[in-house]
């Protein structure tokens, strides 16, 4: 009897039309667990509304179908490429400008090494040049002393 | 029982939707598209907005079919109808025209609404076609929220009788 009263209150129709409040929905879900026959009632109401809705439907513009399915395909492609990033194709879209060349990254290291070696060579050259001059000066100094001493004898 | 035999099995259909079956998607669009479009047109006056709403509804249905299972709804169409109405109400924010009668002359809801006594009819229109809460309707009509709830309950009892006839 209590269940009949609950059904007759129009709660099922209210839920089916989306007019039930959060508290009413919660109560209905609880009652559905308690009385599974409510599911049959709800199914009957839903089907009656469905039958009417299907017969009185207005055909949407045909272009809309393409739009929806294009969007779905696009979403799926986006998800697929997002998940499998390792399997991508690299496309070089650099313009064919003759003023620029593209070289392997190892050339960068090579040029750095050449630069460092050239600097070492430059410092070595300066160092040995100064050493050479120093040794030349040393050689020149004793000979002048001898020349100086000879007249004193 | 005979009625359910003509319906596509909702469980199998939702399984196929969740698996991303293009055939199931196309079947759902062709079968339910016009019905859902009508529900949206009952809420939105502008055709372009209504088309956008329908596109968004189907994108949601196809991408989030799992929400149907989570909702605990009995029928797939019942769930889709509620999704469509909610989406339409969301996009119709700011529309002042009363569009409930525009498309659906002779439709089930139109016939039901026009058969209601004036006061209850106003409450039902504001709640269903405008998506206003009972409190908002009460403020708008200068009534107590309990009175609005009571009138809406009367409308739903009437709708139950209307469906049974």
């Amino acid at each position: 009897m209590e269940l009949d009263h609950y059904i007759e209150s129009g709660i099922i129709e209210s839920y089916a039309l989306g007019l039930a409040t959060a508290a009413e929905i919660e109560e209905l879900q609880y009652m559905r667990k308690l009385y599974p026959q409510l599911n049959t009632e709800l199914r009957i109401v839903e089907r009656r509304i469905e039958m009417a809705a299907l017969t009185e439907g207005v055909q949407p513009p045909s272009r809309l179908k393409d739009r929806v399915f294009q969007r779905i395909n696009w979403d799926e492609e986006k998800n697929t490429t997002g998940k499998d990033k390792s399997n991508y194709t690299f496309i070089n879209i650099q313009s064919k400008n003759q003023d620029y060349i593209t070289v392997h990254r190892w050339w960068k290291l090579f040029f750095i090494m050449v630069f460092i070696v050239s600097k070492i060579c430059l410092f070595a050259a300066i160092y040995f040049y100064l050493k050479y001059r120093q040794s030349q000066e040393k050689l020149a100094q004793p000979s002048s002393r001898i020349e100086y001493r000879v007249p004193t004898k | 029982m005979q009625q359910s035999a003509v319906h596509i099995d909702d469980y199998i259909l939702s399984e196929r939707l969740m698996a991303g079956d293009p055939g199931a998607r196309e079947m759902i669009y062709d079968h339910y598209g016009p019905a859902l479009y009508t529900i949206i047109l009952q809420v939105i006056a502008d055709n372009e907005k209504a088309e956008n709403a329908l596109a968004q509804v189907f994108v949601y249905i196809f991408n989030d079919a799992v929400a149907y299972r989570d909702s605990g709804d009995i029928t797939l169409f019942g769930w889709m109808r509620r999704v469509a109405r909610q989406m339409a109400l969301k996009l119709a924010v700011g529309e002042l025209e009363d569009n409930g009668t525009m498309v659906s002359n002779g439709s089930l809801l139109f016939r039901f609404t026009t058969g209601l006594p004036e006061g209850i009819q106003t409450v039902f229109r504001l709640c269903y076609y405008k998506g206003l809460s009972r409190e908002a309707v009460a403020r708008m009509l200068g009534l107590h929220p309990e009175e609005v709830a009571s009138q809406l309950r009367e409308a739903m009892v009437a709708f139950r009788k209307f469906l049974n006839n």
Side-chain angles (χ1 to χ4, degrees):
Chain A
M1 281 302 125
E2 194 193 321
L3 183 65
D4 288 345
H5 183 72
Y6 184 67
I7 292 169
E8 292 304 321
S9 73
I11 182 67
I12 290 172
E13 287 74 14
S14 179
Y15 173 77
L17 289 179
L19 294 174
T21 61
E24 286 170 348
I25 293 170
E26 203 179 324
E27 188 189 33
L28 181 64
Q29 306 296 21
Y30 173 75
M31 291 292 275
R32 277 171 65 189
K33 279 179 197 158
L34 217 59
Y35 305 102
Q37 58 265 49
L38 271 174
N39 290 331
T40 315
E41 274 295 324
L42 185 54
R43 191 183 299 277
I44 291 168
V45 170
E46 293 272 22
R47 290 297 184 214
R48 277 179 185 160
I49 298 173
E50 182 177 335
M51 291 302 275
L54 289 176
T55 51
E56 65 201 27
V58 175
Q59 198 66 38
S62 54
R63 63 175 186 278
L64 199 64
K65 187 175 179 178
D66 297 333
R67 206 172 112 193
V68 169
F69 283 87
Q70 265 174 11
R71 169 77 193 273
I72 289 294
N73 292 338
W74 185 75
D75 282 355
E76 279 179 353
E77 275 173 33
K78 201 172 77 175
N79 287 342
T80 315
T81 50
K83 277 175 194 165
D84 189 13
K85 281 187 176 172
S86 59
N87 189 22
Y88 65 86
T89 310
F90 178 77
I91 302 164
N92 191 353
I93 52 166
Q94 198 176 28
S95 62
K96 284 189 173 180
N97 190 335
Q98 296 300 317
D99 294 336
Y100 297 93
I101 58 162
T102 308
V103 291
H104 196 277
R105 65 166 72 175
W106 285 106
W107 282 101
K108 185 180 164 186
L109 194 67
F110 175 77
F111 282 115
I112 292 169
M113 292 300 287
V114 166
F115 179 76
I116 292 168
V117 168
S118 68
K119 287 288 170 194
I120 291 168
C121 289
L122 181 67
F123 282 115
I126 293 166
Y127 176 76
F128 286 115
Y129 172 71
L130 291 173
K131 273 272 184 191
Y132 170 76
R133 273 190 65 178
Q134 211 174 9
S135 61
Q136 284 291 310
E137 276 173 15
K138 272 182 184 174
L139 280 172
Q141 271 179 0
S143 62
S144 64
R145 265 184 213 150
I146 292 160
E147 279 171 13
Y148 179 75
R149 278 173 190 167
V150 170
T152 56
K153 271 183 184 177
Chain B
M1 279 294 127
Q2 207 179 359
Q3 210 176 48
S4 64
V6 295
H7 284 283
I8 311 146
D9 190 306
D10 288 343
Y11 188 84
I12 295 171
L13 206 51
S14 62
E15 282 277 302
R16 285 172 62 188
L17 265 188
M18 282 189 282
D21 180 351
R25 285 172 179 168
E26 197 155 349
M27 199 183 78
I28 283 183
Y29 186 93
D30 293 339
H31 191 67
Y32 295 115
L36 296 178
Y37 189 48
T38 306
I39 287 159
I40 291 167
L41 285 171
Q42 286 171 351
V43 176
I44 299 178
D46 182 60
N47 276 355
E48 206 181 314
K49 261 190 187 178
E51 287 173 28
N52 280 339
L54 186 64
Q56 285 186 42
V57 166
F58 273 112
V59 168
Y60 176 74
I61 289 168
F62 293 159
N63 284 337
D64 297 285
V66 72
Y68 161 59
R69 294 285 180 86
D70 297 340
S71 71
D73 281 326
I74 296 271
T75 64
L76 184 62
F77 180 72
W79 173 69
M80 291 195 294
R81 197 164 38 78
R82 280 183 281 277
V83 168
R85 181 173 163 268
Q86 284 303 322
M87 188 68 78
L89 288 171
K90 209 169 105 183
L91 294 179
V93 171
E95 281 201 12
L96 297 170
E97 292 166 67
D98 185 6
N99 195 44
T101 57
M102 194 178 146
V103 202
S104 45
N105 283 1
S107 76
L108 180 93
L109 267 182
F110 177 78
R111 279 182 281 124
F112 164 69
T113 312
T114 48
L116 286 170
E118 206 179 323
I120 298 176
Q121 191 182 128
T122 309
V123 168
F124 179 76
R125 275 184 192 283
L126 291 171
C127 287
Y128 184 79
Y129 295 112
K130 296 291 171 196
L132 297 178
S133 69
R134 291 166 194 192
E135 289 73 23
V137 174
R139 275 198 300 275
M140 192 181 262
L141 300 177
L143 298 169
H144 195 271
E146 266 307 307
E147 283 178 85
V148 172
S150 164
Q151 290 193 0
L152 199 57
R153 218 174 295 128
E154 272 186 61
M156 290 301 97
V157 171
F159 187 55
R160 180 168 177 79
K161 284 180 188 156
F162 180 82
L163 280 181
N164 286 337
N165 292 329

